[in-house]
Amino acid sequence: MIEACLIFANSFLCRTATLPEADSMVLSTLEDLADHGYPFASARVFVYRDEYLALISRGRFYVLSSPEVEGKVSTPLLRWFLRGLAGKAFNLSALRRRAALAEYYGVRVQVMRRDGNVVLRFSSRGGEIFGSLQGGREGLFGDVGITSENLLSLGITVRMRASYDSLNMYLSAATELPPLVGFGLHAEGYYQRVGDTVSYAHELLPYVWRYPQRMGIGVGWASAPVAVALWERVGSPGYRLEILYGAGEVGYRLRAHYGWLALFAFKGVGTWRERVGGMDRFREMPTTVPPESNFAVARLDVPLIRHGILSVGPFGDLLLRPGYEPRWAYGLFLRYGANLQMFVSASGMVGLRVGANL
């Protein structure tokens, strides 16, 4: 333990602490100053034996008016990012929250201090193209997908996925526009063919952000009009809940994740269906299995071995469907970054997903 003292303006704070606790006190003070207009605050720390002294200077007061911008970013996206922040005292926490929101739309933002000014560096993830392949006693199955992020430098995202075999076909597409004018727009739909039967559904969902949550009310179609209400929280824990109402039925679609656990639960209305299998649902069922209208999938990945971007460990999947016995799958998974995933289940099913950045 050491005696830690912080000297700032007319205040003098001392307490007994460990060295990491003393460093945390200093960093917390600098963060607080950066949230109240002083992004150039600094600290000089002196440590001698059992004494810790930090001299804190708040630097100059800074108003975020015309920050220097680096990287490719359109004017509407830049205005959206700075809305409510420009012309006000610098607030690092607010900038980080807005940067996390921009990341949701494929835009990375770094907040840097340089030469007495604040620099915002924008960059784009671009997107990804990927393919999945699964095999076992039932044969070999696959699907392909493509994601485009920050389309036209406006934060527009587009996602498409397709899977098929000799009898069945499933195609889904989604696009999302960030709230450049106060509200954003999410649209998605799917088309499926099972033998000679064709069905489809789609939705259009305007929404507003109150970060880290967003809300929206929209409409859809699944053999009849459908009303849709959205409530979502990004981050960890995160969830996305949609309430569906149409043709006198009430349904829902829930995605949630917390740490190693992920959940997908769905009850459709009308002809609305969702795929059950795949690398991101119940792993022992391929995406070519006909979609269903009422089910839930819980997934648990336990990365016991971690080395850099490599993680390996056991997994367990649980599939619940009305009228069926619960179905379990378990085995080992391997994940190398975001572009390579593999699994092998106890029943002999093997899966591989490979992606490439665009």
Side-chain angles (χ1 to χ4, degrees):
M1 303 295 287
I2 59 176
E3 183 71 14
C5 294
L6 276 63
I7 301 177
F8 167 60
N10 296 324
S11 63
F12 187 82
L13 172 65
C14 291
R15 56 171 288 191
T16 301
T18 63
L19 184 58
E21 289 174 341
D23 289 338
S24 179
M25 291 168 54
V26 174
L27 291 175
S28 177
T29 302
L30 294 178
E31 291 272 345
D32 185 65
L33 287 170
D35 286 346
H36 292 84
Y38 296 95
F40 305 105
S42 60
R44 298 178 62 188
V45 177
F46 303 91
V47 181
Y48 180 72
R49 293 183 180 175
D50 59 349
E51 296 183 351
Y52 182 106
L53 178 64
L55 304 178
I56 297 177
S57 170
R58 65 184 183 184
R60 68 185 180 88
F61 185 78
Y62 188 85
V63 174
L64 192 64
S65 54
S66 55
E68 180 183 347
V69 176
E70 295 184 357
K72 187 176 181 180
V73 56
S74 69
T75 300
L77 190 60
L78 180 61
R79 288 174 178 168
W80 166 69
F81 184 86
L82 295 175
R83 185 184 301 138
L85 301 177
K88 297 183 180 179
F90 184 90
N91 188 314
L92 181 60
S93 293
L95 281 170
R96 285 175 173 170
R97 287 194 296 270
R98 192 64 58 84
L101 191 53
E103 177 82 10
Y104 186 89
Y105 298 106
V107 181
R108 292 192 182 96
V109 185
Q110 293 175 284
V111 183
M112 300 177 293
R113 307 168 182 86
R114 180 188 300 166
D115 300 329
N117 196 10
V118 172
V119 176
L120 303 179
R121 183 190 297 273
F122 290 79
S123 59
S124 172
R125 288 199 303 257
E128 178 192 28
I129 184 170
F130 65 87
S132 297
L133 195 64
Q134 293 173 252
R137 299 188 188 95
E138 301 174 352
L140 196 63
F141 310 90
D143 66 333
V144 295
I146 186 170
T147 298
S148 176
E149 298 182 328
N150 195 25
L151 188 66
L152 304 176
S153 299
L154 291 174
I156 300 172
T157 63
V158 178
R159 297 179 175 89
M160 300 183 67
R161 183 170 188 152
S163 61
Y164 58 90
D165 59 18
S166 60
L167 293 177
N168 310 318
M169 182 179 69
Y170 180 84
L171 172 67
S172 65
T175 186
E176 191 152 324
L177 282 68
L180 301 179
V181 292
F183 68 92
L185 194 64
H186 173 86
E188 70 173 277
Y190 79 86
Y191 171 92
Q192 67 168 343
R193 176 177 56 82
V194 181
D196 296 327
T197 302
V198 171
S199 64
Y200 59 89
H202 53 259
E203 70 174 14
L204 187 65
L205 192 68
Y207 63 86
V208 295
W209 274 105
R210 292 296 181 266
Y211 186 82
Q213 298 182 345
R214 69 172 173 174
M215 293 75 70
I217 298 178
V219 296
W221 182 270
S223 72
V226 177
V228 184
L230 166 71
W231 183 24
E232 179 176 11
R233 184 189 189 280
V234 301
S236 183
Y239 54 81
R240 178 189 175 103
L241 173 63
E242 290 173 84
I243 302 297
L244 314 172
Y245 178 78
E249 299 177 275
V250 177
Y252 56 84
R253 182 166 53 171
L254 171 65
R255 299 181 180 93
H257 62 88
Y258 181 70
W260 300 339
L261 181 66
L263 172 69
F264 181 86
F266 174 74
K267 183 179 184 301
V269 297
T271 58
W272 203 314
R273 302 288 187 269
E274 286 281 343
R275 59 185 176 84
V276 181
M279 295 284 285
D280 60 338
R281 299 279 170 91
F282 189 75
R283 274 167 275 207
E284 279 200 342
M285 293 179 67
T287 54
T288 49
V289 171
E292 298 189 16
S293 62
N294 193 355
F295 67 93
V297 177
R299 296 162 47 96
L300 179 66
D301 289 351
V302 184
L304 296 181
I305 301 175
R306 289 182 175 180
H307 183 72
I309 60 175
L310 173 68
S311 60
V312 182
F315 77 84
D317 292 356
L318 170 64
L319 173 61
L320 299 174
R321 294 175 291 177
Y324 292 84
E325 291 291 327
R327 182 170 172 178
W328 294 88
Y330 55 91
L332 293 175
F333 77 90
L334 178 147
R335 187 175 298 112
Y336 188 79
N339 292 331
L340 176 61
Q341 301 177 37
M342 301 175 61
F343 78 86
V344 55
S345 71
S347 67
M349 175 73 82
V350 177
L352 172 67
R353 182 186 186 278
V354 179
N357 295 328
L358 296 177

